[in-house]
Amino acid sequence: MSEHVMNRMTEEEYRKNPAVNKSTLWEIRKSPAHYKWAVEHQDEQEDTQALRMGRAIHMSVLQPEEVMEHYVVAPGADRRTKEGKKIWEEFLAENEGCEVLSQDEFDMIKEISKSVVKETPMIPWWAAETEVPLFWDDPRTGIRCKCRVDAIVPLRGQTIVIDLKTTTDASSTAFVRDALRFGYHVQSAHYLNGIKAARPELKNPEWWFVAVEKKPPYAVNVLKADEGFIDAGQFKLMELMDKLDDCMRIDQYPGYGTNTIVMPAWATGGEEE
């Protein structure tokens, strides 16, 4: 497979490729056993409502011309009645392979998409490469890696890499807290490494988060990652990749191991609950 894989690769094909992605690598921060389980059970993870809506919002913003090929709105039939059940069964048969959204869900997705486009006039979404799969070998460990970039956008002679995030609170303070909790800094480092290796023609790309809230007024915050944020991600990424490399070399993925328990300072203040 070439280093630069065109966007024609489906999400399913991307997921089946065994290269290391950020989501599974992030699990090794807990223990190698958590990473191993995540890799071996990727196809068994529950498809939650949040994940479903996140996928739909991504497609609506990044690939709006494809939304109606993949999503359909449920008919207003009362499935408690015989007639309603018949309408529902015929609807599912006619739309096999599509994800079903309620009218409220569909309307919400449209409003979120409109808000993102309206609040980001500086981004030429029409010129973006979207859902871009990349594959490369980590230069330090040789481990095969992958990522799927939301959008790569040319902007005034520069390359902007965009990661679209849906959230309950897009304020800068809340977003930074979530970024560290969920490893967004590691994600940015991992993806930028992929672009450097697989798309070397894209010089000095900038990383932008476009965070949008999932409730009205669907407020949007564009957050540009500075050098310190990326450097912190690179440092943590190297730590995780080194740990994975050690495990792969001996083919062992232990849990937490043996540790010393230390009484935390907050527990020794002498105050009773």
Side-chain angles (χ1 to χ4, degrees), residues 131-150:
E131 303 294 0
V132 184
L134 301 173
F135 298 83
W136 72 99
D137 295 326
D138 178 63
R140 296 178 61 255
T141 64
I143 295 173
R144 191 67 170 168
C145 297
K146 68 178 180 180
C147 70
R148 200 165 191 239
V149 184
D150 283 352

Side-chain angles (χ1 to χ4, degrees), residues 20-218:
V20 174
N21 64 4
K22 179 266 172 182
S23 296
T24 50
L25 178 65
W26 185 239
E27 293 299 312
I28 208 169
R29 80 193 188 285
K30 301 176 186 175
S31 80
H34 286 84
Y35 165 83
K36 185 70 169 176
W37 192 94
V39 169
E40 294 177 347
H41 296 82
Q42 290 185 75
D43 295 334
E44 301 172 20
Q45 295 180 8
E46 182 184 1
D47 192 18
T48 63
Q49 173 74 356
L51 290 174
R52 288 179 60 248
M53 295 306 293
R55 286 198 305 270
I57 291 167
H58 267 69
M59 179 166 285
S60 184
V61 173
L62 302 171
Q63 299 169 310
E65 71 283 353
E66 297 186 21
V67 171
M68 300 313 296
E69 297 178 18
H70 298 273
Y71 292 91
V72 290
V73 178
D78 186 350
R79 282 182 276 167
R80 295 171 298 180
T81 67
K82 183 178 180 179
E83 182 63 23
K85 290 179 181 178
K86 181 181 178 182
I87 292 173
W88 181 254
E89 290 171 358
E90 291 176 349
F91 166 77
L92 293 180
E94 292 171 359
N95 296 282
E96 186 177 359
C98 292
E99 288 200 52
V100 180
L101 300 172
S102 69
Q103 187 65 57
D104 287 343
E105 289 173 335
F106 185 74
D107 291 342
M108 182 194 75
I109 290 166
K110 286 197 302 182
E111 290 303 313
I112 289 176
S113 301
K114 286 167 57 178
S115 182
V116 169
V117 174
K118 178 183 177 182
E119 297 297 322
T120 57
M122 76 294 289
I123 299 175
W125 293 102
W126 55 268
E129 286 184 77
T130 59
E131 303 294 0
V132 184
L134 301 173
F135 298 83
W136 72 99
D137 295 326
D138 178 63
R140 296 178 61 255
T141 64
I143 295 173
R144 191 67 170 168
C145 297
K146 68 178 180 180
C147 70
R148 200 165 191 239
V149 184
D150 283 352
I152 299 175
V153 183
L155 185 62
R156 295 188 294 274
Q158 193 173 9
T159 298
I160 306 300
V161 184
I162 295 175
D163 187 48
L164 177 64
K165 298 290 189 188
T166 53
T167 180
T168 56
D169 186 348
S171 66
S172 298
T173 300
F175 191 85
V176 169
R177 182 180 64 242
D178 287 345
L180 298 178
R181 178 185 177 190
F182 298 117
Y184 295 167
H185 58 318
V186 174
Q187 178 190 0
S188 63
H190 182 70
Y191 282 40
L192 289 174
N193 287 352
I195 289 175
K196 181 179 179 181
R199 297 289 298 273
E201 76 277 10
L202 303 177
K203 304 296 184 182
N204 301 316
E206 283 191 8
W207 183 274
W208 292 11
F209 291 104
V210 175
V212 57
E213 293 177 350
K214 294 181 285 187
K215 292 184 178 181
Y218 308 118

Side-chain angles (χ1 to χ4, degrees), residues 218-239:
Y218 308 118
V220 176
N221 192 0
V222 178
L223 303 107
K224 304 176 184 181
D226 70 2
E227 186 175 344
F229 184 88
I230 301 298
D231 286 347
Q234 291 286 7
F235 183 81
K236 186 64 177 180
L237 176 63
M238 286 192 292
E239 175 189 319

